[in-house]
Amino acid sequence: VSPAAEGTRAAATPWPVTQISVWNDTGYGTAVTDAMGAWNGVGTKIALVPARSRAGARVVVGYLTGGKRTGEVGRGTLGWSPGGRGEVSIASGLSRRAATVVAAHELGHVLGLDHTTLACSIMAPVVVGDGPTGSTTCGLARCVRLAGCLVQPRDAADLRSLYEERLPTLRPLPVSRAV
């Protein structure tokens, strides 16, 4: 997937449901939960929720294995596909903070967002240290409550646009139901 010329490109088919169940097969429990909460905080028509079982999950989070490119720390499917299951893969051995950033980025792909060239965006294609490129100048490195700093206003606007324009019949979920 190539970076967009400007901003985040909503390049995928949005999920046709209001809740996407996520099963976590990694040791990054808090990191994945925080990443889900960051996207749920956008207040759009869709929410990432914990799955009751792996078999019933629409998205499975696992460890990144095989075919890993140099420096790759995560991978995620882009958007929804009929009959398909979303997948997020995260490298093992990351700090909790780095795992949260990677999980949020890859879940952004699962929700349908492509890479961006905008500095500070969670959808920037490169993670440096514990955040996206430029995160030291964006304040992410100093953020105390990481989940509240991950999704930038442009990321949120792109996600809302994807779900409100392409799926206008979905009703917004109250933020209190989010993870």
Side-chain angles (χ1 to χ4, degrees), residues 50-111:
R52 292 189 176 139
S53 70
R54 188 182 205 284
R58 294 181 184 269
V59 175
V60 174
V61 179
Y63 286 114
L64 186 60
T65 60
K68 192 169 119 174
R69 295 184 302 261
T70 303
E72 184 178 26
V73 292
R75 192 179 299 155
T77 54
L78 186 59
W80 175 77
S81 61
R85 174 185 269 178
E87 294 182 5
V88 167
S89 300
I90 305 171
S92 60
L94 299 177
S95 69
R96 176 178 164 209
R97 192 171 187 87
T100 304
V101 170
V102 172
H105 175 90
E106 300 307 338
L107 286 169
H109 285 316
V110 167
L111 289 168

Side-chain angles (χ1 to χ4, degrees), residues 33 57 81 110 162 177:
T33 299
S81 61
V110 167
L162 176 63
R177 292 181 64 193

Side-chain angles (χ1 to χ4, degrees), residues 35-36 109 145 166 169:
M36 290 166 58
H109 285 316
R145 191 180 154 300
R166 295 200 191 173
T169 59

Side-chain angles (χ1 to χ4, degrees), residues 134-159:
S135 63
T136 54
T137 58
C138 301
L140 188 60
R142 295 180 306 276
C143 184
V144 176
R145 191 180 154 300
L146 187 59
C149 302
L150 291 172
V151 177
Q152 297 297 305
R154 178 62 189 261
D155 301 319
D158 289 336
L159 185 67

